[in-house]
């Protein structure tokens, strides 16, 4: 990066826009912790209405000279930090549990679900990790369950809504 051409991350972003590259409007120069917290909440509240998927924000040091001083660790910069939003959840019916055997022989229970849309994706199954999780959740077939997409990717069973039990579970 030629810091003689621009001095800040903001300038670089503006340059990308001038070149005709697609950028989004969800960027700001923030100076205080309170501004960061407010921005995080603001973007999280817009999350479901955005024309693209987003699982958090990235906070970057604006000054290029400070970015250079901070440098990199392995493959990530010390001058940028990702802040993730709370994972998206859905409520659905547990229809069955199947058991999958992985390539190393580990058996993993998989919840078969009534399809539910979570974060723009139709979820029909979710990992239950292991037998201990099934026991700790008190999970029963035909339970109403809360499913979360961990890291906004992998669906997993989070909890049972016992108040919705009918006695047929």
């Amino acid at each position: 990066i030629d810091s003689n051409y621009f001095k800040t991350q903001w300038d670089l972003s503006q340059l990308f826009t001038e070149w005709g590259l697609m950028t989004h409007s969800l960027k700001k120069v923030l100076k205080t912790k309170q501004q960061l917290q407010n921005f995080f909440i603001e973007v999280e509240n817009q999350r479901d209405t955005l024309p693209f998927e987003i699982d958090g924000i990235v906070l970057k040091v604006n000054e290029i000279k400070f970015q250079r001083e901070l440098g990199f660790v392995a493959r990530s910069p010390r001058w940028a930090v990702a802040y993730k939003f709370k994972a998206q959840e859905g409520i659905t019916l547990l229809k069955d549990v199947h058991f999958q055997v992985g390539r190393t022989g580990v058996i993993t229970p998989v919840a078969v679900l009534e399809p539910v849309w979570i974060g723009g994706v139709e979820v029909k199954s979710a990992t239950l990790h292991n037998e201990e999780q099934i026991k700790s959740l008190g999970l029963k077939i035909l339970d109403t369950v809360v499913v979360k997409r961990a890291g906004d990717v992998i669906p997993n069973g989070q909890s049972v809504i016992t108040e919705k039990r009918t006695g047929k579970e």
Side-chain angles (χ1 to χ4, degrees):
I1 298 176
D2 183 2
S3 63
N4 294 323
Y5 194 64
F6 52 88
K7 303 283 184 215
T8 66
Q9 186 75 34
W10 183 262
D11 293 342
L12 178 60
S13 177
Q14 299 299 59
L15 184 62
F16 288 161
T17 302
E18 288 174 25
W19 288 346
L21 298 173
M22 287 180 54
T23 61
H24 60 80
S25 60
L26 292 174
K27 55 184 180 256
K28 289 185 179 179
V29 176
L30 307 169
K31 297 186 184 283
T32 68
K33 181 179 175 182
Q34 188 61 51
Q35 288 176 335
L36 171 60
Q37 291 171 332
N38 292 343
F39 181 68
F40 182 87
I41 293 166
E42 174 187 330
V43 175
E44 187 172 28
N45 289 339
Q46 296 178 43
R47 181 181 190 185
D48 293 336
T49 63
L50 295 173
F52 49 84
E53 292 290 319
I54 184 172
D55 67 349
I57 64 171
V58 177
L59 174 65
K60 297 179 181 180
V61 171
N62 194 35
E63 301 287 328
I64 300 298
K65 67 179 180 180
F66 296 141
Q67 290 181 4
R68 283 206 174 111
E69 286 179 30
L70 290 166
F72 290 80
V73 177
R75 295 175 296 202
S76 61
R78 288 184 175 137
W79 48 267
V81 178
Y83 288 92
K84 300 289 186 173
F85 299 137
K86 181 179 154 212
Q88 294 179 312
E89 297 179 339
I91 296 173
T92 190
L93 186 72
L94 174 67
K95 294 169 33 176
D96 201 356
V97 176
H98 293 167
F99 295 87
Q100 293 181 344
V101 179
R103 63 178 177 78
T104 61
V106 174
I107 298 172
T108 303
V110 177
V112 179
L113 306 169
E114 188 69 35
V116 61
W117 284 90
I118 305 173
V121 175
E122 185 179 37
V123 175
K124 298 178 185 177
S125 63
T127 183
L128 294 171
H129 298 291
N130 52 46
E131 184 180 359
E132 289 77 32
Q133 183 182 17
I134 293 173
K135 287 178 181 177
S136 70
L137 292 175
L139 199 58
K140 298 180 180 184
I141 303 299
L142 299 181
D143 263 337
T144 301
V145 294
V146 176
V147 178
K148 185 183 282 188
R149 287 182 60 210
D152 281 347
V153 179
I154 301 166
N156 63 60
Q158 289 294 302
S159 60
V160 175
I161 303 175
T162 54
E163 300 82 31
K164 294 205 175 210
R165 285 189 171 155
T166 63
K168 295 181 181 179
E169 296 79 15

